[in-house]
Amino acid sequence: MTTALPPTVNPKDRSFLGEARVAERARLAEDVRALIDAVVLTDVPDDEVAAVAEQVRALTARLNATRLPAPPMADTPLDGLPASGMSMQLGNPVSGVLNPVAPPVPFEALPDGTVRSVFTLDDVYEGPPGLVHGGVSAAIFDQVLGMTAGLSGVPGFTATLELRYRRPTPLRVPLTLRAEITRREGRKSWAEGTITGPDGKVTIEATAMFVTPRHLMPEQTA
Amino acid sequence: MTTALPPTVNPKDRSFLGEARVAERARLAEDVRALIDAVVLTDVPDDEVAAVAEQVRALTARLNATRLPAPPMADTPLDGLPASGMSMQLGNPVSGVLNPVAPPVPFEALPDGTVRSVFTLDDVYEGPPGLVHGGVSAAIFDQVLGMTAGLSGVPGFTATLELRYRRPTPLRVPLTLRAEITRREGRKSWAEGTITGPDGKVTIEATAMFVTPRHLMPEQTA
């Protein structure tokens, strides 16, 4: 099986990490997520803020002692996804378990061909008070709809993304994103999705169109 | 002048920070951004990753010694913006200087009524290899178009957001988002914007519609 990395990935520039190394680093990323939350909400005195900042700089220096040339990839794709740049990106800002800015949003390919992601967003992702930032929801849709369109094994780039915000999306409660591929036509595929709150009501609907680069299209069988 | 906080802000729940306190905390957030970059790109051995993680947890505990009930707000709005929840949100995940997940994206209201944001995104925001994550761009558009629509002083919620990705958006180079209000009709306002790379070519176009809650509309003068 050929790993369908996107055309601009130079595999020589990328490290492919095995499960054990991912686990240790995922723990660190999770700890930094808690630190981010503390930075946003801390009310300790200024001198304590400055003292913590100094320690943060020291930890950054320790991690930077040896650096990768680019964000690492997993040596196996996410469950249910074919091997691709998208399914193996550990540093992805939406789904990457090694990226502290990512919630991270999980991805579950269901037997019926649809997709489900269940996630909870906290104060770090606040837009209107007590509500999820509309742009954060947009970022999550882009990622999950793109992975949904990629279920066939053919990666594509986002061409259009349209979001319709129906009602406010709450923070701190489980949200469910459901998505499916609705159409394919040559190099184009369309995916649709919704985010639903705990009350079962749809808060946001989204449609996206993805285009597969010509040279990544599967060859026609004669 | 009345500070036009969004309807769901309970001012009693929010701390309003002055310039000096913001500056100290902004320095910490900046240091944590460098830490996030190091977490994504580090290649130090697993035992060093674990040792750093332990230190991160200790720093988190120090910051959590005293916590705010909700992300803080600035006591003065961003330059060029009327006072509102949006212009004073220090913890905003796109523009908030106190939120380490925010690049943060700045906002500049020009004399001609248009808006300019210039920012650079690094590996932490990578989607396709070497390129900006399409969802991150979407989040930035949502924020900046929303602030543009709010220039009149009337805050609104995102109702629709449409993005057209014309060409890849590069990482690690200055990007310019230009935006303007294109139409107002009752409680609705439309804003449009583009992101341009250093070569002057538009990489993404976006249109958004915002709706102002009825009770926040300015009263009609008789």
Side-chain angles (χ1 to χ4, degrees):
Chain A
M1 174 180 173
T2 309
T3 299
L5 291 172
T8 50
V9 172
N10 177 353
K12 285 183 194 160
D13 288 346
R14 298 281 157 166
S15 301
F16 292 82
L17 307 186
E19 245 179 71
R21 291 191 72 196
V22 173
E24 195 67 66
R25 282 159 173 70
R27 175 71 204 265
L28 171 61
E30 191 59 33
D31 288 332
V32 173
R33 282 182 200 110
L35 177 67
I36 291 168
D37 171 79
V39 168
V40 171
L41 291 166
T42 190
D43 198 25
V44 298
D46 283 0
D47 57 349
E48 177 71 345
V49 168
V52 168
E54 194 183 332
Q55 295 297 312
V56 167
R57 293 195 290 278
L59 296 178
T60 302
R62 284 172 65 175
L63 293 175
N64 280 338
T66 320
R67 274 169 71 90
L68 299 169
M73 308 190 70
D75 64 3
T76 46
L78 288 180
D79 283 352
L81 276 175
S84 79
M86 190 168 248
S87 65
M88 298 158 73
Q89 256 192 324
L90 296 168
N92 187 286
V94 174
S95 61
V97 291
L98 299 200
N99 190 338
V101 311
V105 172
F107 181 90
E108 194 184 354
L110 303 182
D112 65 0
T114 65
V115 159
R116 182 170 55 195
S117 289
V118 180
F119 53 93
T120 300
L121 300 170
D122 62 16
D123 285 342
V124 166
Y125 302 102
E126 184 181 60
L131 303 173
V132 175
H133 191 287
V136 170
S137 302
I140 293 172
F141 270 117
D142 178 60
Q143 177 67 26
V144 178
L145 293 180
M147 282 156 97
T148 303
L151 276 174
S152 63
V154 183
F157 286 85
T158 315
T160 62
L161 175 62
E162 295 178 17
L163 300 128
R164 297 171 294 283
Y165 297 82
R166 297 300 187 197
R167 37 177 80 74
T169 303
L171 290 170
R172 293 182 291 271
V173 294
L175 302 171
T176 303
L177 196 164
R178 287 177 203 279
E180 62 183 324
I181 301 167
T182 50
R183 196 169 139 213
R184 288 194 190 281
E185 207 181 290
R187 297 190 292 125
K188 297 179 181 174
S189 23
W190 284 259
E192 286 185 13
T194 55
I195 287 179
T196 307
D199 61 2
K201 288 185 180 163
V202 170
T203 66
I204 314 177
E205 300 164 353
T207 309
M209 198 253 281
F210 301 90
V211 176
T212 303
R214 218 174 284 275
H215 66 284
L216 287 186
M217 286 297 286
E219 287 176 40
Q220 303 292 327
T221 44
Chain B
M1 175 179 172
T2 308
T3 298
L5 291 174
T8 50
V9 172
N10 177 354
K12 285 183 195 161
D13 288 345
R14 299 281 157 166
S15 301
F16 292 82
L17 307 185
E19 247 179 70
R21 291 191 72 196
V22 172
E24 195 67 67
R25 282 160 173 70
R27 175 68 204 266
L28 171 61
E30 191 59 33
D31 289 331
V32 173
R33 282 182 200 110
L35 177 67
I36 291 168
D37 171 79
V39 168
V40 171
L41 291 166
T42 189
D43 198 24
V44 299
D46 283 1
D47 56 350
E48 178 70 346
V49 168
V52 168
E54 195 183 332
Q55 295 296 312
V56 167
R57 293 194 290 278
L59 296 178
T60 302
R62 284 172 66 175
L63 294 175
N64 281 339
T66 319
R67 275 170 71 91
L68 300 168
M73 308 192 68
D75 64 4
T76 46
L78 287 179
D79 283 350
L81 277 175
S84 79
M86 190 168 247
S87 63
M88 296 159 74
Q89 255 191 325
L90 296 168
N92 186 286
V94 174
S95 61
V97 292
L98 299 200
N99 190 336
V101 311
V105 172
F107 181 90
E108 195 184 354
L110 303 182
D112 65 0
T114 66
V115 160
R116 182 171 56 197
S117 290
V118 181
F119 52 93
T120 300
L121 299 170
D122 62 15
D123 286 342
V124 166
Y125 303 102
E126 184 180 60
L131 304 173
V132 175
H133 191 288
V136 170
S137 302
I140 293 171
F141 269 118
D142 178 60
Q143 177 68 24
V144 179
L145 293 180
M147 282 157 97
T148 303
L151 277 174
S152 64
V154 183
F157 286 86
T158 314
T160 62
L161 174 62
E162 295 178 14
L163 301 128
R164 298 172 292 285
Y165 297 82
R166 296 301 187 195
R167 36 176 82 74
T169 303
L171 291 170
R172 293 182 291 271
V173 294
L175 302 171
T176 304
L177 196 163
R178 286 178 203 279
E180 60 184 326
I181 302 166
T182 50
R183 196 171 138 212
R184 289 194 189 281
E185 207 181 289
R187 296 192 293 125
K188 297 179 182 173
S189 24
W190 284 260
E192 286 185 13
T194 55
I195 287 179
T196 307
D199 61 0
K201 288 184 180 163
V202 169
T203 66
I204 315 177
E205 300 164 354
T207 309
M209 198 253 281
F210 301 90
V211 177
T212 303
R214 217 174 286 275
H215 67 283
L216 287 186
M217 284 299 285
E219 287 175 39
Q220 304 291 327
T221 45

